Structures are given as structure tokens and as C-alpha cells.
């Protein structure tokens, strides 16, 4: 390896890259200045951006790596597929976000190819045109690494999906879908096609009955019936939309009332919902399915398929998991402070990570073991109350679960059940009860809401890091696992929406509230307008909605 001194005094090193043996550049900080800790953030989605927005950059030297130089407001992606809003209205350039932080954050438009936790280095490659002068490969060293790379579409290795289906994950996907919908109509009206061919071209299939698939189906239905039927009147009766869902209901992560409201609305709208069907393969013309109840195979022709069945881990994250002994897991595991299990100074948040549930059960057992000093298997009431306090502080989901079942006072509930006449607590019975509670407590959903709250939480931890190092006793202490300076991450569910088309929406609000219908759609408009990351995108989105109300959606294929 050769090293050169840069004019600025920093060091540039040339070495072989881990990928394809290309030359690459390593950036070291200027050694003469007092060193700030180097924070490298991978990803500029919900998690990465909310981390950057609140991070106190006076304490850190921050570098951000992402193959996209913008933040995308993903909840409005389905609206982009039909031109209800324009793609540029829902994206904010990362450099605008950085500018607001006085430009002290460095951004590199590149993809992270590999994380090496031993040398604390990330290896990256830019996706910018290779014909431009200069090297596309480089590496960066970190003191703290924040992994916020999101997830990729899960195809379940179904044959033909990658080749013949559209995904709805990125802005480019939504733009591609918009063009293909118009292609299907333009092809269907060409002379010389049989009626059967026209029908096939105008059969739109959505695989996956989750929020994204359903929202897209609703958007498409509105686009077809409000705009396209006026432009292509000759084929208006040949259009069909089908949603294929392997479970028994669509929107099955929502409240039952929402799920059945959506099913009834789709039935009225003529959107066919095939529940209990598993897609076995997809070809350029056909989608092949198996009915779960009978085992029968059926095939239907399609003009376009949108695949929306959930997410899986990106290869770069999988490779990192293998290096740190998490190779047998599906998702990168962190503790409740979002620290990657088994890897110091690395944090992971958003869709690419999950809090390890198994560890929670083990930790609860540890807390008990530590409290049961005489190994009697029993605790006094005071000891018991201390234990409960620790568990609820560390594992808010235990409390959240009990609260959601209206069992507000955790300690009272458990006390009633497990304290004997001598006012002692049976630890084994109690541990069993808690682990059952834990099993029933679902891990956090892969949503923008979770990712954004995790980003804000982690930046507040980073902002207090130095202060806490100087006061190591910290505000909180726990019996096992040493002392922790920060509260664990606590998710606050603010509700979720499912727009269902025709100016109707469903919402699940905190406190088991469900709201359905037109008024909910207006609530959706106001919430989504208010949640935009900048005034620029807010005005653009509101402008697009108004344009659509007045002129309809634009059907040009550009
Ligand atoms: P992302 O937002 O996906 O960001 C990942 C970032 O990592 C991106 O900037 C990406 O470019 C970057 N990246 C990828 N690979 C690399 C690499 N190798 N190196 C460096 N950077 C990399 N959630 C809700 O709460 N409400 C909704 O209404 C909602 N609607 C949705 C609609 C759609 C169509 C979709 C697709 C998702 C929706 N979600 C919604 C889910 C939400 O978008 C995700 O949960 C959220 O984006 C997760 O945030 P994240 O930061 O973990 O990942």
C-alpha cells in the first residue's frame, strides 16, 4: 500500500478494493487538528435522515453514504404510480438537508459494498457514470457506524418475479409503473388485437394484500375510472384489477374493521380479491397460483404484475451479519439501545434491523437471577417491585402490551398473580408469565414511523454521549448488563392509514380507535401534508393534489 501526503495535510492511501481488485482511496482526517469522533451513516432514508436532522454535528465528523442523493417520502410512492403526485414533489435532495446544517456533513453518493468491523472501515463504490474521470471506489474509516440501509423486496425466490414483475419500493419503481400502465392502455387500443388480447393487456395484478399493495390497487382504480376511461373509451369495459393475497384477508395487520371495510369497498369497486392463493411462478403473460384450501393450480393472464409482499435483508447487511456471528438470523439484531449485538460502536435502525426478542427473554431471566441473591427462587415484595421497574424501563414493549390489554398497572397485575401468603414472589411462575407476554409482543413493524423515531432517538443518544461519559453513573442503572447511560428506545405508535380510493381512507389511531370513510381521507391529506420534510415538498405535494382535483391526472408516457 502506498501513502501520499495531501496538500491539506490529510493522508490518501491507495489499496486494492475488496471488490474486483480495483484501486481505491482511503480518507484519513487531518492529524494536526484535535480529532472529532468519526460517524459514518449508511443510508438517507427515514432512519438515516432523521438521525442527521437532530445530530449535534459540533461533536462529530459526519460522513454519509447513500446511492441516492435524495430522501424519498415513501408513503406517497403509490400516488406517484398514477401521477396523483409527481416524483419530484416527494423527494428532498440530501444536500438541501445538509445545507441546513451549515454544510458540515459530508455526503458521498455511493453504495456501501462491505462493512469491515475489524478495521472499522466501510468500502464503497459510487454509481456515478464510470466514464467520468476518476475512481469510483473508496473506503472510509469510522469510530461509530450507523447502519440505516433499509431493506429490499422479498420475492421468496418465486420463479419469474424478478424478470416479469414490477416492485414498488423506490421512486424509479413508481415511475416505471406509471409508464407501464399507460403502455398497457396504448397497446390495448392498437388495431388488429383480439378482444381477449386487449383484456389481457388491461388485466392489472397486484400480489400482496398489505398496505402498499392495497393502496396501489386503490390508486390504479381511481386513475382508470376517473381519467383513463375518458381517454380510452373503447376499452373501458375490458379493464380489470386483481389483488392476490396468501392470507385470509387483505390488510391483515390492521384492525378487523378496517380489513372488512376495505374488502367491501373493493367488492363494490369491482376489484377482485383472491385470498388464500399463493403465487408459484410468473411468466411474461401468465401468473400461476395454488389455492391453499384445495391445492389446485390455476393460471391467469396479465398485462402487468406489481409484486408487493414485504421486505428482506440486503446482501451487504447479510454479509456483515455473517462476519459478526449473526449469519443464522433473518434480520440484523440490535439491543434496545439500537447497538448491533456482538459489534462495538455499530448501531442499526429502520427496516434493516430489529430488536432481538430472544435476548429480551434471556435478559429478563438475568435480572431475576441477580435479584434472587439467596438463590431461594423467591423475592420479597420490595425486590419484586425493583425488578418490575427495571424490566419495564428496559423493555417498554412488555408494558405496552399489557397497557394495550388495559392492564395498566403491570406490577399490580403480576403481584396479584404471583405473590403468595407470605408476601413472597414465585420467580419461576413469574418469569414464565413474562416470557409469554414477550412472545405475544410483536417485534416493531418495518415502517417509516419506527425508522424516523429510531433516528431521532439515536441522535439524542449521540448528543449526550460525551456528557454521559463524564458522568458515568448516568440517569438510569440496571442490575444486570452493567450501567446504561441512556433510556432504551421506546416506540410511540401515532396511528396508521390505508387510503382506499374514491376519497375514502381507513385509519387505526392510538387507543384502539378506528376511523373510516371520507373524513379519514381528509385527515390523511392533512397528516401527510404536515409530515413533509420541507416547505418546498409540502407546497409541491399540495399543488399536485389541487392540480389533480381541477385537471385530473396526466396520462402522457414520459
Ligand atoms: P429506507 O427509507 O428504505 O432508506 C434506506 C436508505 O439506504 C436509502 O437512502 C437507500 O438509498 C440507502 N441504501 C440502500 N442500499 C445502500 C447501500 N448499499 N449503501 C448505502 N446506502 C444504501 N411506512 C409508514 O410508516 N407509513 C406508510 O404509509 C408507508 N408507506 C409505504 C409505501 C411504500 C410504497 C413503501 C415502499 C414503504 C412504505 N412505508 C410506510 C415503509 C417505509 O417506507 C419504510 O419502513 C422506511 O422507508 C424505512 O426506513 P429506512 O430508513 O430503514 O429505509
Amino acid at each position: 500500500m502506498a501513502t501520499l501526503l495531501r496538500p491539506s495535510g490529510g493522508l490518501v492511501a491507495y489499496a486494492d478494493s475488496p471488490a474486483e481488485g480495483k484501486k481505491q482511496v482511503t480518507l484519513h482526517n487531518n492529524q494536526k487538528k484535535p480529532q472529532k469522533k468519526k460517524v459514518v451513516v449508511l443510508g438517507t432514508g427515514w432512519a438515516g435522515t432523521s438521525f442527521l436532522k437532530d445530530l449535534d454535528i459540533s461533536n462529530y465528523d459526519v460522513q454519509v453514504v447513500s446511492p441516492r442523493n435524495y430522501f424519498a417520502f415513501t408513503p406517497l410512492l403509490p400516488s406517484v404510480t398514477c401521477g396523483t403526485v409527481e416524483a419530484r414533489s416527494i423527494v428532498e435532495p440530501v444536500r438541501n438537508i445538509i445545507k441546513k446544517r451549515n454544510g458540515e456533513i459530508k455526503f458521498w453518493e455511493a453504495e456501501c459494498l462491505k462493512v469491515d468491523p475489524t478495521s472499522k472501515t466501510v468500502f464503497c463504490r459510487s454509481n456515478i457514470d464510470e466514464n467520468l474521470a476518476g475512481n469510483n471506489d473508496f473506503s472510509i474509516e469510522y469510530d461509530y457506524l450507523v447502519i440505516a440501509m433499509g431493506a429490499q423486496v422479498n420475492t421468496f425466490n418465486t420463479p419469474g418475479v424478478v424478470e416479469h414483475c414490477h416492485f414498488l419500493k423506490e421512486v424509479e419503481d413508481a415511475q416505471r409503473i406509471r409508464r407501464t400502465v399507460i403502455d398497457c392502455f396504448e397497446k390495448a387500443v392498437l388495431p388488429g388485437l383480439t378482444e381477449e388480447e386487449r383484456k389481457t393487456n388491461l388485466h392489472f395484478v397486484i400480489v400482496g394484500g398489505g398496505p402498499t399493495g392495497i393502496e396501489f390497487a386503490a390508486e390504479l382504480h381511481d386513475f382508470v375510472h376517473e381519467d383513463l376511461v375518458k381517454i380510452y373509451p373503447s376499452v373501458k369495459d375490458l379493464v380489470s384489477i386483481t389483488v392476490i393475497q396468501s392470507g385470509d384477508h387483505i390488510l391483515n395487520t390492521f384492525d378487523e374493521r378496517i380489513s372488512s371495510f376495505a374488502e367491501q369497498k373493493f367488492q363494490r369497486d369491482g376489484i377482485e380479491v383472491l385470498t388464500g392463493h399463493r403465487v408459484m411462478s410468473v411468466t411474461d403473460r401468465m401468473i400461476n397460483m395454488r389455492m391453499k384450501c384445495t391445492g389446485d393450480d390455476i393460471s391467469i393472464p396479465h398485462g402487468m404484475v406489481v409484486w408487493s409482499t414485504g421486505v428482506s435483508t440486503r446482501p451487504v447487511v447479510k454479509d456483515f451479519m455473517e462476519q459478526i456471528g449473526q449469519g443464522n438470523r433473518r434480520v440484523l439484531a440490535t439491543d434496545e439501545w439500537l447497538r448491533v449485538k456482538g459489534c462495538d460502536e455499530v448501531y442499526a435502525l429502520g427496516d434493516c434491523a430489529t430488536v432481538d426478542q430472544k435476548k429480551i427473554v434471556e435478559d429478563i431471566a438475568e435480572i431475576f437471577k441477580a435479584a434472587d441473591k439467596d438463590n431461594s427462587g423467591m423475592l420479597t415484595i420490595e425486590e419484586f417491585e425493583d425488578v418490575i421497574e427495571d424490566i419495564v424501563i428496559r423493555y417498554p414493549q412488555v408494558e405496552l402490551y399489557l397497557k394495550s390489554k388495559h392492564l395498566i398497572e403491570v406490577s399490580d397485575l403480576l403481584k396479584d398473580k404471583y405473590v403468595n401468603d407470605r408476601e413472597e414472589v414465585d420467580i419461576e411462575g413469574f418469569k414464565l408469565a413474562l416470557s409469554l407476554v414477550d412472545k405475544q409482543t410483536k417485534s416493531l413493524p418495518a415502517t417509516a414511523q419506527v425508522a424516523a423515531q429510531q433516528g431521532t432517538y439515536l441522535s439524542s443518544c449521540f448528543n449526550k454521549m460525551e456528557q454521559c461519559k463524564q458522568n458515568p453513573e448516568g440517569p438510569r442503572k440496571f442490575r444486570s448488563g452493567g450501567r446504561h447511560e441512556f433510556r432504551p428506545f421506546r416506540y410511540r405508535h401515532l396511528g396508521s392509514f390505508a387510503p382506499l380510493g374514491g376519497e375514502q381512507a381507513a385509519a387505526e389511531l392510538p387507543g384502539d380507535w378506528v376511523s373510516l370513510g371520507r373524513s379519514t381521507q381528509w385527515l390523511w391529506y392533512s397528516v401527510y401534508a404536515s409530515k413533509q420534510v420541507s416547505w418546498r415538498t409540502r407546497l409541491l405535494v399540495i399543488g399536485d393534489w389541487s392540480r389533480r382535483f381541477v385537471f385530473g391526472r396526466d396520462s402522457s408516457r414520459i
Side-chain angles (χ1 to χ4, degrees), residues 42-48 65-68 70 74-75 77-78 110-112 148-151 168-169 212 314 316 349-352 446-449 451 528:
L42 303 176
T44 52
W46 282 92
V65 179
S66 177
R68 292 186 176 77
Y70 56 80
T74 47
L77 273 184
E111 194 176 339
C112 167
M149 288 189 270
L168 183 43
K169 185 83 183 70
T212 302
R314 289 189 191 279
V316 56
L349 51 163
D351 284 4
C352 69
T447 63
Q449 229 182 108
Y528 279 46

Side-chain angles (χ1 to χ4, degrees), residues 200-489:
T200 298
N201 290 333
L202 295 176
H203 184 203
F204 300 95
V205 179
I206 296 108
V207 184
T212 302
I214 293 307
E215 196 175 335
F216 169 65
E219 273 284 344
L220 182 63
H221 175 269
D222 284 0
F223 186 28
V224 169
H225 289 88
E226 289 169 13
D227 302 293
L228 297 179
V229 290
K230 297 177 198 153
I231 309 169
Y232 305 94
S234 60
V235 290
K236 71 177 171 32
D237 297 327
L238 306 181
V239 184
S240 55
I241 302 174
T242 304
V243 176
I244 301 171
Q245 159 77 331
S246 63
D248 294 337
H249 294 282
I250 56 171
L251 293 181
N252 54 13
T253 53
F254 280 72
D255 188 283
E256 266 172 40
R257 287 165 285 179
I258 292 183
S259 174
S260 63
F261 179 79
E263 283 169 358
Q264 284 162 20
K265 166 124 195 358
F266 274 21
Q267 199 177 13
R268 284 197 304 275
D269 288 346
I271 300 175
E272 189 176 11
V273 176
L274 297 176
T275 54
H277 284 67
R278 181 173 291 278
V279 173
M280 306 306 289
S281 64
V282 186
T283 67
D284 55 347
R285 294 282 152 74
M286 303 296 272
I287 181 156
N288 307 308
M289 301 172 278
R290 182 161 298 160
M291 281 172 79
K292 279 166 82 182
C293 55
T294 61
D296 291 347
D297 288 339
I298 49 170
S299 299
I300 49 173
H302 67 82
M304 173 183 158
V305 181
V306 173
W307 186 271
S308 173
T309 56
V311 291
S312 68
T313 304
R314 289 189 191 279
V316 56
V317 178
K318 197 83 199 145
D319 171 78
F320 172 63
M321 288 165 68
E322 268 151 28
Q323 291 182 64
I324 60 166
Q326 289 197 24
N328 56 351
R329 293 189 55 97
R330 276 191 320 114
V331 188
L332 182 60
T334 69
D335 64 14
E336 327 78 87
W337 286 269
L338 310 183
R339 300 175 301 193
V340 171
K341 224 180 131 198
C343 195
D344 284 347
E345 322 292 23
V346 180
Y347 300 79
L349 51 163
D351 284 4
C352 69
T354 185
V355 174
D356 186 5
Q357 294 289 314
K358 192 162 154 267
K359 184 175 173 296
I360 294 180
V361 179
E362 283 166 12
D363 280 4
I364 287 176
E366 274 297 307
I367 294 175
F368 274 106
K369 214 167 123 198
D372 181 20
K373 293 191 187 78
D374 56 2
N375 277 332
S376 64
M378 304 299 258
L379 297 184
T380 65
I381 288 287
E382 276 140 32
E383 287 168 335
F384 171 78
E385 279 175 352
D386 279 355
V387 165
I388 291 290
E389 200 188 316
D390 279 4
I391 291 173
V392 169
I393 290 169
R394 286 185 74 160
Y395 303 110
Q397 63 268 52
V398 172
E399 190 187 24
L400 279 181
Y401 172 77
L402 292 169
K403 277 192 173 164
S404 74
K405 298 278 168 224
H406 308 291
L407 304 170
I408 306 296
E409 288 303 324
V410 182
S411 54
D412 282 354
L413 166 90
L414 296 167
K415 229 190 303 180
D416 284 352
K417 212 161 174 181
Y418 294 104
V419 177
N420 65 16
D421 295 343
R422 299 194 311 280
E423 294 237 308
E424 287 175 330
V425 187
D426 171 1
I427 298 181
E428 281 314 310
F430 179 69
K431 255 177 7 196
L432 183 70
L434 270 190
S435 67
L436 289 177
V437 165
D438 184 59
K439 281 208 186 89
Q440 292 173 62
T441 313
K442 287 192 199 124
S443 54
L444 291 174
T447 63
Q449 229 182 108
V450 172
Q453 287 183 27
Q454 288 183 330
T456 308
Y457 161 81
L458 192 63
S459 63
S460 76
C461 292
F462 270 69
N463 294 347
K464 283 183 262 162
M465 192 111 71
E466 284 310 308
Q467 190 192 343
C468 289
K469 275 187 185 148
Q470 284 153 19
N471 304 289
E473 71 281 5
R476 303 269 179 206
K477 58 180 180 193
F478 302 105
R479 279 188 181 74
S480 67
R483 288 158 189 268
H484 292 280
E485 289 111 354
F486 312 113
R487 285 178 69 93
F489 170 68

